[in-house]
Amino acid sequence: MSAAVHALELQGVSRSFGALKALMDINMKVGPGERRAVLGANGAGKTTLFNAITGDFPPTAGRIRYFGEDITGLPAHERIRRGLRRTYQSSQLFHGLTVLENLFLAVRGVSRARFSFRRPGRNDPAMEAAEEMMDTVRMSHLAHTSVSELAHGQQRQLEIGMALAGAPRFILFDEPAAGLSSAERTELVAMLRNLPEHIGYIIIEHDLDVALRVVSYCTIMHNGAIFKEGRPDEIEQDPEVQRIYLGSGHG
Amino acid sequence: MASVIEETPRESDGVLARLVRPVRWYHLVIALVLLVFPFVSTGFWTVQIAAQTFILGTIALSLMLLAGYGGMVSLSQLTIAGLAGYMVAVFGGASGGLGMFWPPIVAIPLAILIATAFATLVGALSVRTEGIYTIMITLAVGMAFYFFVLQNREIFNAFNGFAGLRPPPVLGINWRQPEYFYFLSLTVAAFGYFLVLYLSRAPFGLALQAVRDNPRRMRALGFNIQAHRIAAHALAGFIAALGGVLMVWLNTQISPGSVGLGPLISILIIAILGGILHPIGPFIGALIFVLLDNFAMQLIGGDRFNTVIGLMFLLIVLFSPDGVLGLWKMARERLKASKKPSADW
Ligand SMILES: Nc1ncnc2c1ncn2[C@@H]1O[C@H](COP(=O)(O)OP(=O)(O)O)[C@@H](O)[C@H]1O
Ligand SMILES: [Mg+2]
């Protein structure tokens, strides 16, 4: 073993939707525990990149390695079981269930026992884990509130909680700050910074005040390809980046 | 039962305490009324109104489980019940058909088993479809069954069906007696009700509701969506089959007319009338249905049952998509809102 094992290694990853090439030859290496931002205008292919990594829409070409293992052909839930998590750009929650029940299912999903007719007892490990996650995203006071009654910001918070189920090793956050108030953004930044060090992530975020404060490296995408990479301070100064993306507000 | 009066939940709470905690005063009132009812009413009210409510409610409960928690509207729940009823007749010694004379201890469980297996099969057939297509497939199953029993003489005795069916005198009890039949039906209904209520918060029930809300996320989480849906059909089939066995004893006969389009739709009406958000809904719907069925003629004269039930249905669906349960919920929220000082001023 010469090269260090990367948390994620993408080699020539492409994805087409019919004639549309949403991703073109993406090469990318993210170290274990590394925190990375993916920036770029709307339609640049950021979410498609996430879909390729998680298996929601597998790549049409290229290979994806996760902690050294080739996961290109694995179904989405097998990747989840290996500790790869994501949040969705528009919340994908269970609206008829409570906050705690949503988190409970997220935990059950990654555990072995997914099918059971017995109600969880007081000391059920999945229930305890769900309560812990609820605490992490500061929603304990809403445990028994139905998701349909949550405010938008609370739903985004829960969406993040869902990604923390089980033992995540790497998380993909798709615009977690979208639609949040500035107070909620501050909380989000604190939450991301407080994640255990071994958990790496990629965050897609238009708000640079959020994105650049929680990552050590940035990848900028344009028309399905990587356009530029660099540290947050480099990205912030780069005149070209300024001109194309950052000056024009939220793409 | 000292634990009933404990104010805060304790780590050491036993099963009993946890079961008893959600009990409210009106639960006790309802339980008391249900227990006393057959002793203060006539045989007609005990059997034709109350027991029939329990039985139709149980069959509609199976639809509530599928539609309310699983998002799958199945029109074949009465078909499942009817199959169970037919099997009781076939195996239990009715004249005509196969003419088996198996003891009830064999015939009844076998009838329930066959109906449950059939429901599982229907489930496996229909879970790959969504929405209107589920309704169409299950309707097709129901109609196919109707025409099959109508034409099949060897097993189902064709258009004659079976008559003279009575609950067997198990334990030396004449279950035909109104009080006994009442408590038998009540027990089955309560069993179904509490089973569904329990499962609604068990991992299976939560997963079923989550599949209804967001199948894509559930699949991504690693849940087997089809398995949960098929299991729901099996379970609902079992509950419907229990109701079906009682139904055949209540009517003392079963024939193709018992499983025709009309009765199929009635179960849907009962479930939607009462509401499919909570397992009590189908029983409320059944009570309304049975009362109208028996008294519509006296109320407005002529054979206007279908008109009345149709109008009721229309009104409910217009004003409260969640049935009578929805009305109750709305009323409660209004009351709450009017008690709270308004924050807008
Ligand atoms: N499931 C899909 N089917 C067809 N086209 C898609 C699909 N997902 C994304 N696209 C297209 O791929 C391009 C990139 O989209 P996306 O990855 O969502 O962009 P971003 O997240 O950077 O805003 C867009 O042109 C979009 O229309
Ligand atoms: Mg996107």
Side-chain angles (χ1 to χ4, degrees):
Chain A
M1 293 294 280
S2 53
V5 172
H6 290 95
L8 269 178
E9 187 177 353
L10 278 62
Q11 289 175 343
V13 168
S14 302
R15 170 78 211 199
S16 317
F17 294 105
L20 176 79
K21 289 185 169 140
L23 284 182
M24 281 175 293
D25 194 30
I26 301 284
N27 292 289
M28 194 172 180
K29 283 175 183 167
V30 186
E34 187 185 329
R35 297 167 178 201
R36 162 96 51 124
V38 169
L39 310 173
N42 262 339
K46 307 179 297 293
T47 298
T48 305
L49 178 69
F50 275 16
N51 284 333
I53 297 172
T54 59
D56 285 293
F57 289 103
T60 37
R63 319 254 17 126
I64 299 170
R65 249 177 268 281
Y66 174 71
F67 288 97
E69 180 189 7
D70 190 331
I71 58 164
T72 318
L74 284 185
H77 63 266
E78 282 297 336
R79 305 180 197 216
I80 287 189
R81 242 161 258 173
R82 285 161 172 72
L84 181 62
R85 299 293 144 72
R86 78 172 294 180
T87 70
Y88 290 86
Q89 191 169 348
S90 61
S91 301
Q92 301 284 323
L93 301 166
F94 310 123
H95 286 259
L97 302 180
T98 68
V99 168
L100 184 58
E101 286 165 348
N102 267 262
L103 293 170
F104 175 71
L105 283 176
V107 176
R108 294 284 299 208
V110 295
S111 74
R112 264 165 208 287
R114 276 180 301 280
F115 201 97
S116 163
F117 293 107
R118 282 198 46 204
R119 279 193 187 185
R122 210 162 268 286
N123 303 316
D124 182 86
M127 196 49 94
E128 281 180 349
E131 274 162 6
E132 212 176 287
M133 281 150 55
M134 202 163 55
D135 203 39
T136 308
V137 291
R138 300 187 190 150
M139 300 190 79
S140 299
H141 59 295
L142 297 166
H144 302 293
T145 307
S146 161
V147 168
S148 57
E149 286 164 29
L150 294 181
H152 173 79
Q154 295 169 329
Q155 292 196 4
R156 301 301 294 164
Q157 247 169 303
L158 180 56
E159 180 71 26
I160 291 174
M162 299 287 280
L164 298 176
R169 285 209 284 174
F170 203 89
I171 308 179
L172 307 170
F173 293 107
D174 199 344
E175 303 199 18
L180 295 193
S181 69
S182 67
E184 286 168 333
R185 275 162 203 250
T186 312
E187 265 194 37
L188 174 69
V189 168
M191 203 280 304
L192 290 172
R193 284 187 166 161
N194 284 336
L195 284 180
E197 254 175 47
H198 72 275
I199 300 180
Y201 59 73
I202 301 179
I203 179 171
I204 297 175
E205 188 48 67
H206 284 299
D207 184 349
L208 292 185
D209 280 342
V210 172
L212 299 183
R213 280 160 63 197
V214 294
V215 300
S216 53
Y217 205 71
C218 303
T219 298
I220 300 190
M221 288 182 67
H222 183 55
N223 286 342
I226 291 179
F227 164 73
K228 192 155 236 154
E229 297 192 291
R231 293 194 313 274
D233 53 313
E234 294 169 342
I235 294 300
E236 228 172 350
Q237 307 304 322
D238 191 300
E240 212 171 355
V241 173
Q242 289 271 341
R243 186 170 51 80
I244 302 180
Y245 301 109
L246 314 179
S248 57
H250 297 173
Chain B
M1 296 216 291
S3 49
V4 182
I5 51 166
E6 270 182 14
E7 273 152 8
T8 48
R10 298 259 171 90
E11 283 297 317
S12 59
D13 275 358
V15 177
L16 188 66
R18 268 198 275 149
L19 280 179
V20 164
R21 194 172 305 118
V23 173
R24 303 267 173 283
W25 62 267
Y26 56 84
H27 293 143
L28 298 177
V29 172
I30 292 171
L32 197 69
V33 169
L34 288 176
L35 286 178
V36 172
F37 185 78
F39 303 110
V40 296
S41 74
T42 63
F44 169 80
W45 276 87
T46 302
V47 174
Q48 286 308 318
I49 303 298
Q52 193 173 8
T53 295
F54 299 147
I55 294 167
L56 288 178
T58 303
I59 300 172
L61 174 72
S62 78
L63 174 56
M64 177 273 148
L65 169 64
L66 288 177
Y69 293 147
M72 303 174 284
V73 179
S74 163
L75 281 181
S76 57
Q77 290 316 105
L78 184 95
T79 305
I80 310 294
L83 177 60
Y86 260 114
M87 290 299 105
V88 164
V90 169
F91 295 131
S95 56
L98 282 182
M100 303 286 203
F101 282 89
W102 291 346
I105 193 89
V106 178
I108 296 166
L110 188 63
I112 292 169
L113 189 75
I114 289 175
T116 307
F118 183 65
T120 313
L121 201 73
V122 173
L125 256 178
S126 69
V127 289
R128 291 184 181 278
T129 61
E130 302 270 343
I132 187 83
Y133 297 103
T134 312
I135 299 182
M136 278 156 57
I137 280 203
T138 50
L139 177 62
V141 166
M143 288 299 92
F145 183 75
Y146 167 74
F147 285 113
F148 184 74
V149 296
L150 189 63
Q151 285 159 11
N152 180 285
R153 181 168 297 284
E154 292 73 26
I155 305 173
F156 293 98
N157 207 22
F159 54 85
N160 287 322
F162 303 98
L165 303 164
R166 298 206 154 69
V170 178
L171 303 174
I173 291 171
N174 176 12
W175 295 98
R176 275 300 291 168
Q177 264 183 23
E179 296 82 25
Y180 286 119
F181 192 70
Y182 172 94
F183 281 111
L184 180 66
S185 311
L186 175 61
T187 305
V188 168
F191 169 75
Y193 171 79
F194 285 111
L195 180 67
V196 172
L197 199 62
Y198 176 84
L199 288 176
S200 71
R201 255 53 236 172
F204 166 75
L206 292 176
L208 188 63
Q209 294 167 75
V211 167
R212 169 201 66 196
D213 287 349
N214 196 337
R216 185 176 160 218
R217 181 79 184 243
M218 279 303 271
R219 197 174 292 123
L221 281 175
F223 285 91
N224 187 335
I225 293 181
Q226 311 296 20
H228 276 85
R229 286 182 169 160
I230 294 173
H233 273 278
L235 210 86
F238 174 67
I239 293 171
L242 293 179
V245 171
L246 293 177
M247 188 177 68
V248 90
W249 288 336
L250 174 77
N251 299 330
T252 70
Q253 64 89 33
I254 188 162
S255 63
S258 320
V259 294
L261 183 60
L264 250 64
I265 301 288
S266 295
I267 294 301
L268 181 69
I269 290 180
I270 287 171
I272 294 180
L273 207 58
I276 55 170
L277 292 182
H278 189 279
I280 198 65
F283 292 100
I284 296 173
L287 180 61
I288 297 172
F289 185 90
V290 169
L291 286 175
L292 284 177
D293 192 10
N294 281 282
F295 297 113
M297 213 192 283
Q298 274 115 297
L299 281 178
I300 54 166
D303 194 4
R304 296 275 167 71
F305 169 65
N306 284 323
T307 316
V308 175
I309 197 80
L311 272 176
M312 277 286 285
F313 189 67
L314 196 68
L315 284 175
I316 284 285
V317 178
L318 272 179
F319 290 104
S320 165
D322 297 330
V324 175
L325 275 184
L327 290 178
W328 167 251
K329 220 172 121 187
M330 273 190 259
R332 229 175 33 179
E333 267 155 29
R334 287 257 169 85
L335 204 69
K336 247 198 261 172
S338 67
K339 271 184 190 165
K340 251 189 237 163
S342 174
D344 299 341
W345 295 92

